[in-house]
Amino acid sequence: MAASSNAEQTQLQDMEEEDAGMEEREMESDEDEEEGMGVENSDEDEEDDSSEDEKENEAEIQRLEEQLSINAFDYNCHVDLIKLLKQEGELFRLRKARQKMSELFPLTEEIWLDWLKDEIRLTEEEPNREKVYELFERAVKDYICPDIWLEYAQYSIGGMGSPGGIDRVRSIFERAVTAVGLHMTKGQMVWEAYREFENAILSTVQPPPGRIPSHEEQEMLKTQLERIHTLFRRQLAIPLMDMEGTYAEYEEWSEHGVPETVMHQYKKALQQMEKCKPFEEALMVAETPKLTEYQAYIDFELKEGDPARIQITFERALSENCLVPDMWAKYTTYLDRQLKFKDLVLSTHERAVRNCPWTMGLWKSYLLALERHGADHQTVSDVFEKALNAGFIQATDYVEIWQAYLDYLRRRVDFSKESSKELEELRAAFSRSLDYMKHDVEERFGESGDPSCIIMQIWARIEALHCKNMQKARELWDSIMTKGNAKYANMWLEYYNLERSYGDSIHCRKALHRAVQCTSDYPEHVCEVLLSFERVEGSLEDWDFAVQKTETRLNRINEQRAKAAEKEANLARQEDERTEQRRKAKVEKKAHKKVQKGTRAGEKRKAEQDDYQDEWNEDAGPKRHRGNADQPTDEYMETETGPFGKATPPGYKPAPPATKKAPQGAAPPAHRQNEDNPELRNDNSSVFVSNLAYTLEEPEAKLRTLFETCGPIKQIRPIFTGKGSFRGYGYVQFESPVSVPEALKLDRREVEGRPVFVSPCVDKNKNPDFKVFKYNTMMEKHKIFISGLPFSCTKEQLAEICKNHGTIKEVRLVTYRSGKPKGLAYVEFADETQASQAVLKMDGIEVEGNKISVAISNPPRRNTTDKPGSSRPTGDAMPRQVYGARGKGRTQLSMLPRSLHRQSAPAGKVENGSAADGEPASAAGNAAGEPKQLSNSDFAKMLLNM
């Protein structure tokens, strides 16, 4: 590796010297031309514009170079710099930029081909061809690309006139067909180029017409013909696209026809091609990166079991999915377990970590592969040091990579010797790992990644088992316990087992006594282990002391638990009292405001009675509203049966329909005509529409315009108050249920700046468990959550930002009920890999001056305590009011008379200890007609259950 690096540096220096000479010659020629040319005014203007563009480009180049000096692993910055330097024609700096990027990352096929073609144009002379050959050798190692191999072979043909040139061309062609000859769609062009080269050689060895060839010429001619025959046979035995054309060409070229064995191999390959054809066709129509299609193709080839075809399929997939760690892991695992060829395995592992350096699992597999194939210690250590500098994304990754390296060092030690260089190196590595976790990892992540001190536990076990050094093992365990692990029973039991296996009974007893004193999670278990130990090992004094200590400890634990339970109960009671105080304050404030309005009591009762009449008559009212909202609700939607549930309020007398009047100056709402005919309604063909503006004019006409494209509409029922004000919701009933799914697609469509909620029309009284929340409440690995967006950001702008990281399926901006943006969004990608890459690349970037945060979508579970059917404890014993799926709005106040608030639960349902808050148990018993005295044990149970 060092030799290769020196060779690359030498090559770079030679190329820099050539560029310097070429730039001097170009400058001299430009000066000579300018001396003999007159410059027009228009030319001067063009030169000024050109100079301004050059200054801008130069400023951008300097900015990119400065950014790379800060973060050399910015892949996109490397690509942008190379494009800009190529545009400016900065040959020396372009070559240097490509060189730097190739040292850090494998280059794509496009970047390599551009670089190679530029170098080929610049190195026309024969002595410089070797430098291009070296560049080609580096290019073919990054990825297996047919186009690069074909370019390599064709370039080598240009040097066939030099000594050994023909043999060199054949050698490159043989390597090319070995590497990419099995490529189903592009392998054929390499085979055809190989045959064209051999045909060209054939034309040079054929004698002129009319001249009899010599014996030597006849042998050369026969050998060349056999080479071409062999190429045809080899190609026809491989399943490739357009095999029929190759077979027809061979039939025409061969003087003696196609041999039987070749025909048999051709038919077999043709059958194999037919099996692979569906997978190839799927790849042709799929969009990049085609990960799913390649996975299916690889699974098929793995079942077929042809190692060469499995390898080429993996390589094809990786050329388009080089940043997918799982694909590299699957490929390297196959090579480790099946092929086991050292050069192939190690080179693939190296390519894997160069493409995905942030993936700890790939580095871990690389270390194991190096050890498995007998790599020298220095090489393994160098790879490990690179892994530490790779920039893993979580603290636990560093713990695992250290464990892998320490395992490797432990396997090198010969513990039969009392002291050795390897053992000292192992101990030094353990010490270094602990320092690394404490300083480097904790400073970066705020945690060590090893809270259970796994590395120290392994070290202690090695010292006890292999080195017979229990003193060092005990020192390590003392350190483990001081890091916050002394309160855990499992840690003490682990230490006890170590002492039990390699220590003595004295230290076992000490460990268990300390465990009883310190353990807080499972003290009963530790006490039981101590007593079991004393039954087997201890004397009567030891037993008595252990019993006394365990009883004392458990009594103290029980006291602490009782105090904690009492404290928690007091906090809950205080919270309930504060909630009740806030509720009463709101009621009093609302009542005070109403008094200040000066409304006469009689008019107020009349208005309330009219509202009750409206609510009571709305049999298909808003009870059917849905709870499909991402945002917290600020509005309360009454139940369809009125704010009192199914029962009418005490003392309520509905006014006769004929005597009910509309408010003065307001026409009766049109929807009343439909309300009087509930038998005409059909929930199956209706949708509930909410979150409309209260000030919406002509809501029926607006709803008809919105939903008329979904199908024939039977009726539209906007809901109004008794005074004629629009409530902001309503129902749309279609002629057929077929129109409902189309209407539901209009959910969140904006109407006058507000998102309209459209949901199925379902009676929540009859279906209390009905849920229509359409967004997931669990982790979605294929979707990212973005926060901190500017409020002016649109869906199109966000899609433009995200499209560079994968295929976008949906972009959703989160808004308030009013339609105003929250600065949050969800972006769904085609698969998990693209979402992960988007998080890595987008987190922390700026959008219109706002720094955004990006993470995998993991929404919190929805709070269901206020939903119908939930068993939420209430402060009063009154029947629980149904609020609907959106919950109780902040502005809602109960309009029930106080007498209703004091209603008690059904008598038969009240038991001892379950009466309402503030009501004695005896009162509950009297209400039931079955008074029952509580014993002291009953009160004790109640206290323990608090």
Side-chain angles (χ1 to χ4, degrees):
M1 296 175 66
S4 174
S5 177
N6 293 334
E8 292 172 3
Q9 294 297 330
T10 303
Q11 177 188 353
L12 179 60
Q13 292 174 0
D14 294 341
M15 292 180 175
E16 290 173 357
E17 292 174 1
E18 291 176 13
D19 284 342
M22 291 187 65
E23 289 178 0
E24 289 178 2
R25 291 194 295 270
E26 289 175 359
M27 292 174 62
E28 290 174 0
S29 61
D30 291 342
E31 291 173 359
D32 293 340
E33 291 176 2
E34 289 178 359
E35 287 177 0
M37 294 179 59
V39 182
E40 302 292 338
N41 291 334
S42 59
D43 294 338
E44 291 178 357
D45 294 338
E46 291 178 2
E47 287 181 3
D48 292 340
D49 294 339
S50 177
S51 62
E52 289 180 2
D53 292 339
E54 289 178 358
K55 290 180 180 178
E56 292 179 0
N57 290 340
E58 180 62 29
E60 179 66 13
I61 290 172
Q62 291 180 358
R63 186 189 70 80
L64 292 172
E65 289 177 341
E66 183 179 354
Q67 186 171 343
L68 287 175
S69 66
I70 299 172
N71 180 15
F73 289 91
D74 190 335
Y75 186 90
N76 293 328
C77 190
H78 281 285
V79 174
D80 294 340
L81 178 60
I82 289 173
K83 288 181 180 178
L84 201 55
L85 290 173
K86 183 174 178 62
Q87 177 183 340
E88 290 296 302
E90 295 277 355
L91 300 180
F92 168 72
R93 297 167 73 182
L94 175 61
R95 189 179 275 168
K96 188 175 180 180
R98 285 167 169 166
Q99 181 70 23
K100 285 185 176 180
M101 185 178 181
S102 67
E103 292 172 357
L104 298 173
F105 301 101
L107 304 186
T108 63
E109 181 179 358
E110 293 76 15
I111 296 177
W112 270 122
L113 287 174
D114 285 344
W115 189 1
L116 290 166
K117 289 175 182 178
D118 288 344
E119 296 298 339
I120 289 172
R121 285 194 296 267
L122 295 175
T123 54
E124 297 281 337
E125 298 87 1
E126 188 68 27
N128 295 325
R129 295 183 65 86
E130 289 300 325
K131 299 174 183 177
V132 181
Y133 281 130
E134 293 175 6
L135 201 59
F136 268 114
E137 288 295 332
R138 292 173 55 194
V140 297
K141 290 178 181 178
D142 277 354
Y143 302 106
I144 295 182
C145 301
D147 292 330
I148 293 179
W149 274 109
L150 185 61
E151 189 74 23
Y152 190 10
Q154 290 176 342
Y155 178 75
S156 67
I157 292 175
M160 60 184 293
S162 60
I166 295 178
D167 292 337
R168 185 171 197 170
V169 174
R170 285 197 177 110
S171 174
I172 294 173
F173 266 119
E174 283 295 329
R175 291 172 58 198
V177 295
T178 301
V180 298
L182 293 177
H183 196 293
M184 185 74 76
T185 56
K186 295 184 177 181
Q188 182 182 7
M189 63 183 184
V190 179
W191 286 103
E192 289 180 352
Y194 195 0
R195 282 191 284 106
E196 288 177 3
F197 165 72
E198 294 295 353
N199 279 320
I201 299 298
L202 177 64
S203 63
T204 61
V205 299
Q206 284 181 336
R211 184 172 69 83
I212 299 175
S214 63
H215 177 72
E216 184 179 352
E217 289 175 339
Q218 288 179 355
E219 289 296 325
M220 291 176 61
L221 182 61
K222 182 179 179 181
T223 302
Q224 191 61 27
L225 288 172
E226 184 59 30
R227 284 198 180 101
I228 300 174
H229 273 290
T230 302
L231 286 176
F232 268 117
R233 295 189 193 110
R234 291 170 63 189
Q235 182 179 354
L236 290 173
I238 298 172
L240 299 172
M241 289 296 185
D242 196 22
M243 291 183 62
E244 298 84 353
T246 305
Y247 183 80
E249 183 181 351
Y250 186 36
E251 276 187 318
E252 182 180 352
W253 184 84
S254 178
E255 297 178 355
H256 306 289
V258 180
E260 188 68 25
T261 55
V262 177
M263 190 178 298
H264 175 72
Q265 291 178 342
Y266 164 72
K267 291 180 179 179
K268 187 176 179 181
L270 202 60
Q271 292 175 355
Q272 182 66 27
M273 187 198 69
E274 291 299 324
K275 292 181 182 179
C276 300
K277 201 169 183 179
F279 298 99
E280 294 292 342
E281 291 174 349
L283 288 172
M284 290 179 184
V285 300
E287 297 181 357
T288 305
K290 312 176 185 178
L291 187 59
T292 304
E293 290 76 15
Y294 274 121
Q295 290 280 14
Y297 203 169
I298 289 170
D299 293 339
F300 165 76
E301 292 293 356
L302 287 172
K303 290 180 181 178
E304 291 292 309
D306 186 346
R309 292 206 54 77
I310 294 171
Q311 183 185 354
I312 191 63
T313 309
F314 266 118
E315 292 290 351
R316 289 177 61 184
L318 289 168
S319 65
E320 297 189 53
N321 298 275
C322 59
L323 298 179
V324 181
D326 291 343
M327 183 67 73
W328 283 106
K330 192 173 182 179
Y331 185 27
T332 54
T333 300
Y334 169 77
L335 295 178
D336 287 335
R337 296 177 180 176
Q338 300 297 328
L339 296 188
K340 302 180 181 180
F341 297 141
K342 178 180 178 180
D343 293 339
L344 176 61
V345 169
L346 296 184
S347 63
T348 305
H349 276 287
E350 183 182 8
R351 291 162 53 207
V353 297
R354 288 188 68 199
N355 279 277
C356 305
W358 63 87
T359 307
M360 182 279 305
L362 296 178
W363 288 100
K364 185 176 177 181
S365 299
Y366 191 10
L367 291 174
L368 290 171
L370 288 169
E371 182 183 3
R372 196 176 293 121
H373 291 280
D376 62 273
H377 176 59
Q378 187 60 46
T379 301
V380 178
S381 298
D382 290 344
V383 171
F384 171 70
E385 294 298 333
K386 290 180 181 179
L388 289 181
N389 296 322
F392 299 142
I393 59 178
Q394 54 189 8
T396 54
D397 288 344
Y398 288 95
V399 178
E400 289 194 44
I401 199 65
W402 267 109
Q403 283 182 314
Y405 183 59
L406 293 169
D407 291 345
Y408 158 74
L409 294 178
R410 196 268 305 164
R411 288 189 285 265
R412 296 179 66 241
V413 179
D414 183 3
F415 290 102
S416 61
K417 301 178 182 179
E418 292 185 2
S419 179
S420 63
K421 178 182 177 182
E422 290 79 8
L423 179 58
E424 295 303 320
E425 186 176 358
L426 174 62
R427 285 172 171 160
F430 269 114
S431 298
R432 183 192 167 198
S433 68
L434 299 180
D435 290 338
Y436 189 89
M437 294 297 162
K438 182 177 180 180
H439 297 100
D440 298 68
V441 177
E442 284 191 9
E443 287 180 4
R444 179 179 174 187
F445 297 98
E447 57 168 328
S448 67
D450 190 14
S452 299
C453 302
I454 299 297
I455 292 179
M456 295 180 71
Q457 290 188 44
I458 295 173
W459 188 5
R461 189 164 290 275
I462 290 173
E463 292 287 351
L465 173 63
H466 296 294
C467 302
K468 313 302 179 186
N469 188 355
M470 277 303 298
Q471 182 61 33
K472 179 64 176 178
R474 291 175 185 129
E475 291 175 2
L476 290 169
W477 267 104
D478 284 340
S479 179
I480 291 172
M481 293 306 181
T482 58
K483 295 183 180 296
N485 292 302
K487 58 185 177 181
Y488 300 117
N490 66 315
M491 300 298 288
W492 284 108
L493 295 179
E494 186 71 24
Y495 175 40
Y496 164 72
N497 290 330
L498 184 72
E499 288 285 359
R500 191 77 169 162
S501 300
Y502 311 108
D504 51 52
S505 59
I506 296 176
H507 286 90
C508 286
R509 182 174 289 109
K510 287 182 179 179
L512 290 176
H513 278 281
R514 291 174 62 192
V516 169
Q517 189 67 29
C518 301
T519 300
S520 60
D521 56 349
Y522 297 103
E524 295 87 353
H525 185 51
V526 174
C527 292
E528 183 180 349
V529 173
L530 174 58
L531 295 177
S532 299
F533 172 78
E534 296 298 357
R535 281 193 179 96
V536 177
E537 301 280 344
S539 63
L540 178 60
E541 293 179 355
D542 295 331
W543 169 260
D544 290 339
F545 184 68
V547 170
Q548 181 183 356
K549 187 163 188 173
T550 54
E551 288 179 352
T552 304
R553 177 61 176 166
L554 291 178
N555 289 336
R556 187 182 299 115
I557 290 291
N558 291 331
E559 291 175 2
Q560 292 174 354
R561 289 173 178 172
K563 289 181 180 179
E566 183 180 0
K567 183 178 180 180
E568 185 176 352
N570 290 334
L571 290 175
R573 190 179 299 109
Q574 292 172 6
E575 182 62 28
D576 291 341
E577 291 175 357
R578 285 194 293 268
T579 302
E580 182 65 18
Q581 290 175 0
R582 286 195 296 267
R583 187 189 67 80
K584 290 180 179 179
K586 288 182 180 179
V587 172
E588 293 175 358
K589 186 177 181 180
K590 184 69 175 288
H592 183 66
K593 286 184 178 179
K594 287 188 176 180
V595 171
Q596 288 180 343
K597 289 181 180 178
T599 306
R600 289 181 302 174
E603 293 179 357
K604 179 178 179 182
R605 285 195 297 272
K606 177 62 177 175
E608 290 178 352
Q609 185 175 354
D610 291 343
D611 285 345
Y612 294 156
Q613 177 69 36
D614 293 339
E615 294 291 341
W616 193 250
N617 288 335
E618 292 173 1
D619 294 334
K623 185 63 182 180
R624 297 182 178 91
H625 76 283
R626 60 99 184 255
N628 180 17
D630 312 275
Q631 302 88 1
T633 59
D634 296 336
E635 302 165 4
Y636 169 66
M637 298 189 180
E638 297 86 346
T639 61
E640 188 170 79
T641 54
F644 307 103
K646 294 184 178 179
T648 56
Y652 169 68
K653 295 180 180 180
T659 63
K660 184 173 181 178
K661 298 180 181 180
Q664 195 173 23
H671 78 288
R672 290 294 179 203
Q673 300 174 3
N674 294 330
E675 293 296 318
D676 296 335
N677 298 307
E679 66 276 1
L680 298 179
R681 304 172 192 156
N682 185 354
D683 289 350
N684 295 331
S685 58
S686 302
V687 294
F688 175 67
V689 185
S690 62
N691 201 45
L692 294 164
Y694 296 137
T695 58
L696 186 68
E697 298 180 359
E698 299 182 356
E700 184 173 350
K702 296 286 177 61
L703 292 176
R704 186 174 297 277
T705 302
L706 178 63
F707 290 99
E708 62 185 358
T709 58
C710 302
I713 298 175
K714 186 174 183 179
Q715 62 172 331
I716 296 177
R717 293 184 285 113
I719 306 301
F720 296 86
T721 65
K723 297 180 181 180
S725 301
F726 181 47
R727 290 180 179 269
Y729 57 86
Y731 300 89
V732 178
Q733 183 174 341
F734 297 94
E735 295 287 348
S736 170
V738 178
S739 304
V740 172
E742 295 298 322
L744 294 176
K745 294 179 182 179
L746 298 179
D747 185 40
R748 308 303 170 112
R749 181 69 61 86
E750 285 193 2
V751 174
E752 295 191 359
R754 290 175 66 92
V756 177
F757 301 153
V758 185
S759 61
C761 191
V762 177
D763 191 337
K764 297 300 275 297
N765 281 330
K766 298 178 182 178
N767 301 275
D769 297 328
F770 178 76
K771 298 177 182 178
V772 291
F773 188 75
K774 67 180 183 180
Y775 301 116
N776 203 343
T777 57
M778 301 177 67
M779 178 175 285
E780 302 168 286
K781 295 184 179 180
H782 63 290
K783 188 181 294 186
I784 63 174
F785 172 69
I786 305 176
S787 60
L789 288 168
F791 294 148
S792 60
C793 184
T794 63
K795 279 187 178 181
E796 292 74 17
Q797 292 173 338
L798 187 57
E800 185 68 22
I801 295 171
C802 299
K803 71 178 184 179
N804 295 329
H805 308 294
T807 303
I808 298 174
K809 297 181 67 175
E810 183 184 5
V811 177
R812 179 165 64 89
L813 297 177
V814 183
T815 64
Y816 291 99
R817 292 173 65 92
S818 63
K820 294 182 180 180
K822 289 186 173 184
L824 310 175
Y826 292 90
V827 180
E828 182 178 357
F829 287 90
D831 52 54
E832 301 175 9
T833 302
Q834 296 179 5
S836 300
Q837 291 303 311
V839 172
L840 293 174
K841 299 290 180 62
M842 293 176 59
D843 186 35
I845 68 172
E846 288 194 0
V847 177
E848 297 182 10
N850 288 27
K851 187 175 181 180
I852 65 173
S853 298
V854 185
I856 295 296
S857 174
N858 188 17
R861 294 187 179 274
R862 304 186 69 221
N863 186 7
T864 59
T865 55
D866 290 335
K867 292 186 178 181
S870 64
S871 57
R872 176 176 58 88
T874 57
D876 300 322
M878 61 173 289
R880 180 174 54 82
Q881 182 175 350
V882 179
Y883 300 119
R886 290 189 185 276
K888 183 175 179 180
R890 291 198 298 263
T891 60
Q892 180 197 2
L893 293 176
S894 176
M895 303 300 293
L896 291 177
R898 293 183 179 179
S899 60
L900 291 182
H901 277 294
R902 289 193 291 269
Q903 272 186 341
S904 60
K909 299 295 183 180
V910 180
E911 299 177 358
N912 286 334
S914 62
D917 292 344
E919 183 180 353
S922 60
N926 293 332
E930 298 177 2
K932 183 179 178 180
Q933 297 292 334
L934 293 177
S935 65
N936 291 336
S937 61
D938 292 332
F939 281 107
K941 290 179 181 178
M942 292 172 58
L943 178 62
L944 291 175
N945 290 330
M946 291 179 63

